[in-house]
Each structure stands twice: as structure tokens, then as C-alpha cells.
Amino acid sequence: QKEVEQDPGPLSVPEGAIVSLNCTYSNSAFQYFMWYRQYSRKGPELLMYTYSSGNKEDGRFTAQVDKSSKYISLFIRDSQPSDSATYLCAMSEGANSKLTFGKGITLSVRP
Amino acid sequence: EPEVTQTPSHQVTQMGQEVILRCVPISNHLYFYWYRQILGQKVEFLVSFYNNEISEKSEIFDDQFSVERPDGSNFTLKIRSTKLEDSAMYFCASSEGLAGIGTQYFGPGTRLLVL
């Protein structure tokens, strides 16, 4: 079983839609969970950071972590064409430990 | 806003040559990292560096690779004898190193092509 699995996509939605992106993982030692956004041929840009289980909201973005199910989600409300990018989940065991990434899902928001 | 910078943005080299990839982490950060992303694949961890020594490394980071903090601002990744399979995007990242907070900020990457 892969350590971090992410829906492969691609995903195409109309502008204004609610987007749900998900990752599952197998390593129960993961404590820190992140979502990064990556535009083509650029570095990953940190979107959301969560420690342990729970929800975190930042503007149109909400991150959820369910450690009992080993499942994390990123919700994007009122999606915009500028949200079109590849979204990567990443997680680590310790605060400054190596990140283990999902493969990423490419999102396209149609005007 | 502070950011991680990397040079060069692109590097083309011949197989067997040495390359040095350079990074300037965010100035008050204490942890530094190198990751790579082969085209179409996941971002993979290579090595982390703290307090002037390697704190963690992956099995990819073999004897062909080395890292160095030659001065107070630069962090470098050296590949001694490049192979075709080293062709990838290499990302440097840094984090503050505060207890309980480990957000890693990535640079724009260096695209390495080994011919």
C-alpha cells in the first residue's frame, strides 16, 4: 500500500462550484498535514497547514483531517479560474520532519 | 514577503558531470531541505539539514549527493557524477524550526536535464 494516495484526476468544474480534494494515508505516525498548490513548472506553494485531527478554515479554503480514518480533505468554496492548478497533499511525522507527498490532482475551473 | 530563492532555474549537463544547485533559504529559518520531482511523479524527499548537519535523508540520497551550508545564507546540493535518471526538478525548502510548527516553504525549483 502506498504511503499517501491521492485521487489522480484530472478534475474539471465550473466557476463557483465547491471542490473536494482528498488523500488517504497508511502511516498512523503522521501528525502534520498540509495542502500545497503548484502551478505548472513552479514550486509548491503552501495553502493550508493542520496539526492532528480537526478542521481549519482560511477564506474559501477548508482543510479537514480525520486521523481515525487516515483521511484528509481540502474544500474550495466558490471556485475561481485562478484556482486552476495542481493540488498536493503532504504530511509528516514531526514538525520539521520530511514531507511525504501525494501525487497531486490537477484542477481546472472553467469560467 | 520573504521567499526561498534558487539558482540556476535551468541546468543542462552531460552524464558524469558534477552539478551544484544553489538555494537561499528564508533568512530566519533553521531547517533546510531538498526535494526532487521527476516529470509526472510525486515530489520526493532527499535530505534535511539542521544545525550544520544532515538530520534526515532518504535512500535516494546516496554517496553521489552532498549538501553544504557554505556561508550564512546559501544552501547547496551537489551531485558528483550525474546520471540520466537524475533529470528532475529540484526544490529547496526551509522551515522556521520552531517547536510544533513545521511549515515548509518551497523555492521555485531548478530544472536539471542530464544528457
Side-chain angles (χ1 to χ4, degrees), chain B residues 38-94:
Chain B
I38 294 170
L39 191 63
Q41 297 189 24
K42 290 184 181 186
V43 176
E44 302 174 287
F45 169 77
L46 293 177
V47 66
S48 60
F49 193 84
Y50 172 73
N51 201 25
N52 283 319
E53 60 183 28
I54 290 173
S55 54
E56 200 172 1
K57 62 181 181 179
S58 72
E59 56 193 30
I60 302 168
F61 193 87
D62 61 21
D63 291 344
Q64 293 298 313
F65 292 89
S66 62
V67 288
E68 194 179 25
R69 180 116 162 115
D71 53 44
S73 59
N74 290 284
F75 180 53
T76 62
L77 174 69
K78 182 192 289 186
I79 310 175
R80 286 189 185 81
S81 178
T82 49
K83 305 183 184 76
L84 296 176
E85 56 265 35
D86 293 327
S87 295
M89 194 77 162
Y90 288 80
F91 295 109
C92 175
S94 68

Side-chain angles (χ1 to χ4, degrees), chain B residues 1 6-7 10 14 17 19-22 24-25 32 44 54-55 59 67 69 72 77 85 87 90 100 103-104 108:
Chain B
E1 186 173 324
Q6 290 184 244
T7 54
H10 294 80
Q14 295 292 322
Q17 294 297 302
V19 295
I20 297 175
L21 309 183
R22 292 182 167 79
V24 178
F32 316 118
E44 302 174 287
I54 290 173
S55 54
E59 56 193 30
V67 288
R69 180 116 162 115
L77 174 69
E85 56 265 35
S87 295
Y90 288 80
T103 45
Q104 293 183 26

Side-chain angles (χ1 to χ4, degrees), chain A residues 27-82:
Chain A
N27 183 356
S28 57
F30 286 143
Q31 299 277 356
Y32 298 84
F33 304 91
M34 283 134 273
W35 286 94
Y36 285 86
R37 178 171 62 195
Q38 186 177 28
Y39 294 108
S40 181
R41 297 176 180 260
K42 302 289 186 186
E45 171 196 5
L46 181 68
L47 272 180
M48 299 289 284
Y49 172 85
T50 312
Y51 170 69
S52 195
S53 284
N55 294 357
K56 187 173 185 178
E57 188 172 320
D58 184 2
R60 296 184 295 109
F61 298 89
T62 300
Q64 286 186 351
V65 175
D66 181 349
K67 287 187 68 181
S68 62
S69 302
K70 297 191 180 72
Y71 189 89
I72 71 170
S73 300
L74 177 71
F75 298 95
I76 308 173
R77 289 184 299 281
D78 187 25
S79 55
Q80 302 294 309
S82 57

